[in-house]
Amino acid sequence: MSAKPTKYIFVTGGVTSSLGKGIIASSLAKLLQARGLSVTIQKFDPYINVDPGTLNPYEHGECYVTDDGAETDLDLGHYERFLNVPTSQANNITTGRVYYNVITAERRGDYLGKTVQVIPHITDEIKRSIVALGETGKFDIVITEIGGCVGDIESLPFIEAARQLKYEIGEHNTLFIHLTLIPYLSSAGELKTKPTQHSVRTLSESGIQADILVCRTEHPLPPDMRKKIALFCNVQPNDVIEAIDAETIYDVPLLMKKEKLDLRALYKLDLYNDVEPDLEQWKDFLGRLKNPSEQVTIGLIGKYVELKDAYKSIAEAFIHAGAHNECKVKLEWIQSETLATDHYDERLAHLDGILVAPGFGERGLEGKINAVRFARENGIPFFGICLGMQMSVIEFARNVAGLEGASSTELDKDTPNPVIDMMEEQKKVTEKGGTMRLGAYTCELKKGSLAHQAYGKLSISERHRHRYEFNNRFLEPLQKAGLVATGINPETRLVEIVELPKHPFFIGVQFHPELKSTVMTPHPLFVHFVKAALKYSMVKKQALEA
Ligand code: GLN
């Protein structure tokens, strides 16, 4: 890190939501990192929930968990996947958290005698959380993504805080990037700039002049259009950056490099450097991703499959692991409820691998158990994550170990054989927010196990988010019947990994490995699962040809 003060980049959005601010922020961060700068990204979410942990995945997609146990927005997953640097609670702040902190301080008496107001108290708290990242001394640049669209009532305090920060720390220490949409009217055959002009104007009404415009578009922006946007939006033509629809999100850093987004940002922040970004490994990954020599079909059995964002990190982990194996992973999203019939085998027979996904509540669980059974009985590579691991234990208990009616107390409180039960410390918990077993825990692996082979070491750390656990009361009968606990928490003795050594590839993990898979370090369990699926598909092909 240089002796220079930390610089702050803000990314706002206009015209519509879902333009991909998180990907643009991550791509810029990647380019700056590739030039030797140390960068972190922070996300502000303008909703009142203190964190997204209490949100239904259908509402907001996956809840991403950090090492320090914060339940955060899924954009933090992109930040980690692109930068290969862990994030923490400080990287995701919601309106709810800001108010919670201010109200807690008010009750403590910190503002005694004063009227507590949006300005200055809420905006001060927002500024504190931006600058706090800079003050760690770890970063040359902090990129703050402001959720929602400019003009939304909810995001006003965040925009105002950013404006104040620019005023306080000066022109070359802050930078505003506005992401906008240039729609294409097919009837007129034209790209339209008016919505962008309006959105930049709305931003300027809040006292912020956008420094750089990143324009999402389905068609290339001709030079005269860039000039027109520049003129009406009060920026230089080379500060109008084209963000054309990409084949994969992992192309975006290279597209942004071509558009010189990083150079424009550095120039405006007085940080100009002529280091050629080192993107060799990234390009190597893209090459493998785009030129697979094999293909496998993996079934993702889940309850929220209608919204793919609910399993974002799992889908991305397969992209990393697929590229590593030079193998295209075709994910088939299967609603677990549809497997709760006697004909579940018809839906699963063609798969090369079966992943039973994490989840909460009762819906679809019997379908998940059927999927485990099918994988176990037919030697299909199986990977169970969190709830998926729990379902594999239940399936084995019922159908192999003969533990009648075995279940999890999450779905059947009165089961005679609660092989999965609520953790002791969870039984007293009544509040729902931030009360699960969350964040990174150490796990020790059994020598020679599948997990040991995959990780190549005996001690690992993985992230958790759950209330229920393998019930150690049943460890002995289950082990006797052939299920092996191959990963144990050294402090609590909780079972974190189960395997079936007689099966070609059968592993269930209580943690969430998908959260730690990145472009640069694909997760070993996903890598080995894809390898196993590939092997299985080849054996199947050979058998058919014979
Ligand atoms: N519902 C299960 C539990 O709370 C599993 C949670 C999960 O899959 N993240 O233990």
Side-chain angles (χ1 to χ4, degrees), residues 16 45 101 116 120 201 224 240 274 314 329 378 380 401 432 466 472 526:
T16 106
D45 277 310
N101 291 348
V116 182
R201 191 166 309 146
D224 57 339
V240 177
D274 52 10
I314 294 180
V329 177
N378 294 286
I380 300 175
K432 291 277 185 264
H466 53 105
N472 270 330
F526 280 86

Side-chain angles (χ1 to χ4, degrees), residues 357-361 365 368 385-391 408 410 420-423 436 464-469 510-512 514:
F360 292 84
L365 290 187
K368 287 188 170 177
I385 298 183
C386 206
L387 184 70
M389 173 265 202
Q390 298 176 357
M391 294 306 108
S408 158
E410 185 177 11
I420 304 293
D421 197 8
M422 190 177 267
M423 286 177 278
M436 281 185 248
H464 292 249
R465 181 173 189 250
H466 53 105
R467 291 201 164 84
Y468 293 81
E469 284 290 351
Q510 184 58 80
F511 46 80
H512 289 269
E514 71 277 19

Side-chain angles (χ1 to χ4, degrees), residues 180-250:
T180 168
L181 175 71
I182 308 289
Y184 178 76
L185 284 193
S186 50
S187 56
E190 271 182 69
L191 288 163
K192 291 293 184 191
T193 67
K194 194 67 82 186
T196 293
Q197 296 178 36
H198 281 298
S199 134
V200 171
R201 191 166 309 146
T202 306
L203 187 60
S204 63
E205 278 163 14
S206 304
I208 291 170
Q209 166 62 47
D211 297 300
I212 297 176
L213 299 179
V214 176
C215 304
R216 276 299 299 274
T217 172
E218 286 172 39
H219 299 276
L221 292 182
D224 57 339
M225 177 147 296
R226 292 189 195 231
K227 271 193 205 142
K228 181 177 170 188
I229 297 170
L231 178 68
F232 283 107
C233 298
N234 213 13
V235 298
Q236 298 293 316
N238 53 1
D239 290 326
V240 177
I241 304 288
E242 169 193 290
I244 200 144
D245 291 356
E247 191 185 322
T248 142
I249 54 170
Y250 299 111

Side-chain angles (χ1 to χ4, degrees), residues 418-490:
V419 289
I420 304 293
D421 197 8
M422 190 177 267
M423 286 177 278
E424 218 32 64
E425 62 273 26
Q426 283 288 327
K427 290 185 177 157
K428 306 170 269 279
V429 175
T430 52
E431 283 198 11
K432 291 277 185 264
T435 55
M436 281 185 248
R437 180 182 181 212
L438 290 166
Y441 286 89
T442 307
C443 170
E444 265 155 27
L445 306 180
K446 195 177 162 74
K447 241 191 177 142
S449 62
L450 214 60
H452 178 210
Q453 285 167 34
Y455 283 95
K457 54 185 176 182
L458 285 168
S459 180
I460 57 163
S461 168
E462 292 282 5
R463 300 179 194 168
H464 292 249
R465 181 173 189 250
H466 53 105
R467 291 201 164 84
Y468 293 81
E469 284 290 351
F470 183 106
N471 185 347
N472 270 330
R473 188 149 70 78
F474 293 90
L475 185 57
E476 210 191 298
L478 289 171
Q479 297 237 55
K480 263 200 187 128
L483 186 85
V484 182
T486 59
I488 304 279
N489 178 306

